[in-house]
Amino acid sequence: MNRFVYKIAFSMVRGMKPAVANEIINRLGSEQEFFTLPRTALQSRLDFNGSIIDNDYRAELLEKARSEMEFIESNHIECRYFTDSDYPARLLECEDAPLMLYGTGATDLNAAHMVSIVGTRNATAYGVNFINTLVDELARKIDGLVIVSGLATGCDITAHRRAMQAGVPTIGIVAHGLDTLYPAEHRNYAAQMVRSGGMILTDYPHGTRPHRGNFLARNRIVAGISDCVVVAESAAQRGGALHTAKVAMLYNRDVFALPGRTSDLYSGGCNALIRSNTAHLIENADDLIHAMCWTPRPAEGQQATMFPELTGMQQDVVDYLRQNGEAQTNRMAIDLGIPVGQLMATLVELEFNGMLLSLPGARYRLA
């Protein structure tokens, strides 16, 4: 049997964490021994009598691991085991780090500067503009930058899209196996991320479907894999972004939050993080760079922005939005007399070129 199968199976042991895993491997000599020794021998050598050493349980894990190995080989999945040199070192500092990570794409998980950007799924123009500007400024000033988020709608996908536009690798941490993608409407973005030097990353084997508990557990990777976490927008009482911020604080990661008006629903969470001294107030990239004591690259003369020549349909869309401000996709299709499929392709092209902002509710505006 492929020795890596034993590592996959070992990573699936219920409740296994790096510290315990290291202790077991040190006592037994290898993961293979954990699965091939009789129960009585394991009990004696580990001085442990729990259900995780039951013969049936270990056999079940090996069967799952064999299936996972077939999936990995068939789909060219990148794996990072916690003892590998290319496993993210920052994440390994966290006591509940997963033993195994599965990914598509090839990104340096130990890049010099890794920033997680999170926020509400109901991002407003205020939050979107902040994220876009922050990513642009960081990309211009910081070498070895990677942007991390959770591939969700709103703030997450805004961060991923802007990173790609800025030529920065971006990692999407998902809460399910790599045989699916949630949300499905972000499948094209995920493919673009991988093609652009980014990665889709998870600690869940294939066949794992998304549910609430997975998303909460996923947040520990978003928080632990990076140097810091930026919360762009969040409602006051609950949400994944606030949970990620609190986990980041427990991991001794720096947390930043964008302040907003007290009357704005999706600034309430950020204001609360700042008020409780959980997060640094952030207005721009310089705030983050200064707080993190990072050395920006030397400033260069700014070049004029170069826009590609627009097609007739692209120009029609730009002119329409210049006249009407924000507009919803179906309304634009009717007013411009363009089939929705063609319009969506045009909007994606304009957005990727940095000319449009995508807002919740299938709305767009000029950048």
Side-chain angles (χ1 to χ4, degrees), residues 50 63 97 113 120 169 171 195 245 254 278 289 331 341:
E63 187 59 35
H113 303 100
T120 177
I171 299 173
R195 288 195 298 267
D254 284 273
T278 301
I289 293 169
R331 183 73 261 168

Side-chain angles (χ1 to χ4, degrees), residues 244-258:
T244 304
K246 291 173 182 176
V247 173
M249 181 185 66
L250 293 175
Y251 289 164
N252 293 316
R253 298 293 186 267
D254 284 273
V255 179
F256 299 87
L258 174 68

Side-chain angles (χ1 to χ4, degrees), residues 38-328:
R39 190 187 194 284
T40 52
L42 275 183
Q43 182 178 341
S44 174
R45 292 176 64 175
L46 296 178
D47 192 24
F48 177 76
N49 194 28
S51 60
I52 66 170
I53 62 174
D54 288 347
N55 293 333
D56 289 345
Y57 178 68
R58 289 182 291 149
E60 178 186 346
L61 291 183
L62 277 178
E63 187 59 35
K64 289 181 179 178
R66 291 189 190 97
S67 174
E68 189 63 26
M69 191 70 209
E70 292 177 5
F71 178 79
I72 288 167
E73 293 176 339
S74 299
N75 294 275
H76 309 290
I77 302 300
E78 294 286 329
C79 298
R80 302 286 189 275
Y81 191 55
F82 81 111
T83 58
D84 294 341
S85 60
D86 55 358
Y87 185 94
R90 297 172 179 87
L91 186 58
L92 202 55
E93 297 169 357
C94 309
E95 65 174 17
D96 56 351
L99 267 58
M100 184 73 76
L101 294 169
Y102 306 97
T104 56
T107 304
D108 182 4
L109 301 181
N110 289 299
H113 303 100
M114 299 187 68
V115 178
S116 288
I117 300 176
V118 298
T120 177
R121 288 172 168 78
N122 301 296
T124 69
Y126 176 62
V128 169
N129 283 327
F130 166 74
I131 293 171
N132 288 340
T133 302
L134 176 68
V135 172
D136 285 348
E137 291 180 351
L138 288 174
R140 191 170 64 250
K141 296 180 178 183
I142 296 297
D143 291 317
L145 177 67
V146 174
I147 298 297
V148 179
S149 198
L151 206 68
T153 56
C155 291
D156 287 18
I157 199 63
T158 298
H160 293 307
R161 284 192 304 243
R162 200 61 173 195
M164 288 189 287
Q165 292 164 6
V168 172
T170 182
I171 299 173
I173 313 294
V174 295
H176 50 70
L178 293 177
D179 55 332
T180 189
L181 191 89
Y182 179 86
E185 59 265 29
H186 290 168
R187 187 173 299 275
N188 287 338
Y189 288 123
Q192 290 175 15
M193 289 163 63
V194 171
R195 288 195 298 267
S196 302
M199 201 171 198
I200 305 301
L201 196 66
T202 185
D203 63 324
Y204 292 104
H206 83 284
T208 307
R209 295 294 173 257
H211 61 76
R212 177 173 171 76
N214 289 1
F215 286 99
L216 292 175
R218 177 275 305 273
N219 292 342
R220 81 192 193 284
I221 301 178
V222 176
I225 202 171
S226 294
D227 297 294
C228 59
V229 173
V230 179
V231 184
E233 287 187 300
S234 177
Q237 298 302 320
R238 54 186 299 177
L242 290 186
H243 180 263
T244 304
K246 291 173 182 176
V247 173
M249 181 185 66
L250 293 175
Y251 289 164
N252 293 316
R253 298 293 186 267
D254 284 273
V255 179
F256 299 87
L258 174 68
R261 294 178 301 190
T262 57
S263 59
D264 287 349
L265 173 61
Y266 295 108
S267 290
C270 291
N271 291 341
L273 288 172
I274 295 167
R275 185 168 56 248
S276 64
N277 291 321
T278 301
H280 305 280
L281 185 152
I282 184 173
E283 295 179 345
N284 51 50
D286 287 337
D287 292 339
L288 186 150
I289 293 169
H290 177 74
M292 298 299 297
C293 298
W294 289 349
T295 302
R297 70 168 65 97
E300 298 178 1
Q302 291 186 334
Q303 297 179 346
T305 303
M306 299 294 291
F307 291 106
E309 185 176 346
L310 300 180
T311 66
M313 190 178 297
Q314 290 173 339
Q315 190 64 59
D316 289 343
V317 170
V318 169
D319 291 342
Y320 179 88
L321 290 174
R322 189 171 286 127
Q323 267 191 324
N324 295 278
E326 292 180 12
Q328 202 268 346

